[in-house]
Amino acid sequence: MNFSCLAIRVLTLQGLCSPRLGCLRFKTSKFRAPAPLSLTLAETTASPSCPKARPNCCACNKTNKMPIQAKIGPSILNADLANLAAESQKLLDNGADYLHLDVMDGAFVPNLTFGHPMVKCLRNHIKEAFFETHMMVQNPEQWITPMADAGVNLYTFHVEPVKDVCSVTRKIQEAGMKVGLAIKPGTEVKEIEKYIDVADLVLVMTVEPGFGGQSFMADMMPKVEWLRNNYPNLDIEVDGGVGPKTIDCCAKAGANWIVSGTAVVGSADQRQVIGEMRNVVKSYLK
């Protein structure tokens, strides 16, 4: 057994499991997301390793789970970075549920984008939006505290380069952020099964991370289907080549959080595209 995981479970059994935040919520940093935020992630179902004797834990008590919701999050990497605050606010005004911030370090992926200083600057201009950072970085642990201080709500990191996933998730929670686990196309979905009970969201990449101009990979949908069948209350996100032409495939498989770049940002009618994609996702939610 992974002893860091065991330590987390022991702490949880000692009373650190909050009905509001789900399993394994720890002491948070001074930063808090602005109070008006209404975007929530559905609690996940318990994995086979989830302890049984946790009656107050939302992630383990099926009667307390919130129904999953359809959420559309434009990738701001496709926006005009020289005018990012205004571009981001426009997306939100046109119905975006959250902003997806792609952070690349030039190591885990070949491209280099932006870091916590830019995220903090954006937060200073946009106080109440829900920020997700997609950390395509070699060492996600390194950036937990800076991103929390920058105002990030959901810290989604790739499990592939991480030796101790449980430790990273714990530190994210201690910093006051929600946890997202991301997998590349070549990573089997069952490799993250043992960590799902400590995650708020799972991101299934539908293109190779770090490369632009790729086509949507429909053969990733079995991963989404497996997650939805085994974790009906889990928030499942897809990212890469998703737009009006591919949204039905994603929604039918079970994705409810949708990242879309050019299809939304570059649209002449952002509100219409966001609304249409959200309605497709809603049509498949039970």
Side-chain angles (χ1 to χ4, degrees):
M1 176 179 290
N2 186 306
F3 285 96
S4 60
C5 289
L6 176 60
I8 293 175
R9 295 191 184 104
V10 171
L11 286 170
T12 304
L13 288 170
Q14 292 177 342
L16 295 179
C17 183
S18 165
R20 181 173 65 87
L21 293 178
C23 290
L24 311 178
R25 290 297 180 261
F26 298 82
K27 181 179 178 182
T28 62
S29 67
K30 293 182 179 180
F31 173 79
R32 286 289 188 277
L37 282 175
S38 59
L39 185 63
T40 59
L41 294 100
E43 301 295 348
T44 67
T45 57
S47 75
S49 62
C50 186
K52 295 180 180 179
R54 293 194 283 179
N56 295 322
C57 180
C58 293
C60 300
N61 187 345
K62 293 183 179 180
T63 60
N64 288 337
K65 294 189 187 74
M66 296 178 61
I68 59 174
Q69 300 177 3
K71 303 293 181 183
I72 309 298
S75 171
I76 65 171
L77 191 61
N78 298 89
D80 178 5
L81 297 181
N83 195 28
L84 190 56
E87 291 271 300
S88 298
Q89 189 60 59
K90 178 183 176 183
L91 289 164
L92 294 165
D93 292 343
N94 283 325
D97 296 293
Y98 65 103
L99 296 177
H100 183 88
L101 287 65
D102 289 306
V103 178
M104 306 180 193
D105 64 355
F108 180 69
V109 293
N111 288 334
L112 186 68
T113 56
F114 48 76
H116 58 279
M118 194 222 71
V119 177
K120 189 169 187 177
C121 182
L122 186 62
R123 174 59 82 192
N124 288 335
H125 287 83
I126 301 177
K127 303 292 186 181
E128 300 180 2
F130 191 98
F131 285 5
E132 176 195 16
T133 49
H134 178 192
M135 305 299 296
M136 289 171 272
V137 299
Q138 190 66 31
N139 184 14
E141 184 176 350
Q142 178 181 358
W143 308 108
I144 292 173
T145 298
M147 285 299 181
D149 290 339
V152 171
N153 303 99
L154 170 62
Y155 191 93
T156 299
F157 69 97
H158 278 265
V159 300
E160 290 87 1
V162 178
K163 293 182 179 180
D164 191 343
V165 173
C166 286
S167 175
V168 175
T169 60
R170 175 179 57 81
K171 290 177 181 178
I172 293 169
Q173 292 165 350
E174 288 176 341
M177 297 180 290
K178 292 181 179 294
V179 176
L181 302 178
I183 54 174
K184 296 164 63 174
T187 303
E188 294 295 330
V189 68
K190 288 191 176 182
E191 290 187 22
I192 62 169
E193 182 178 10
K194 58 186 174 181
Y195 307 120
I196 291 178
D197 62 335
V198 294
D200 296 287
L201 173 145
V202 170
L203 165 57
V204 175
M205 290 298 298
T206 48
V207 296
E208 287 292 341
F211 298 90
Q214 299 178 72
S215 299
F216 174 78
M217 300 171 69
D219 55 345
M220 294 298 105
M221 291 305 98
K223 295 182 182 182
V224 177
E225 292 173 354
W226 185 90
L227 286 167
R228 180 58 66 218
N229 290 336
N230 288 276
Y231 301 92
N233 294 285
L234 175 68
D235 282 312
I236 303 171
E237 186 177 50
V238 288
D239 178 11
V242 183
K245 295 181 179 180
T246 54
I247 185 63
D248 189 79
C249 179
C250 298
K252 185 177 181 180
N256 66 303
W257 278 52
I258 308 298
V259 178
S260 186
T262 305
V264 170
V265 177
S267 172
D269 193 339
Q270 295 179 350
R271 180 176 295 276
Q272 180 179 351
V273 174
I274 290 172
E276 288 178 352
M277 290 202 296
R278 185 187 294 112
N279 287 337
V280 172
V281 177
K282 284 182 177 180
S283 71
Y284 286 100
L285 294 180
K286 297 180 181 179

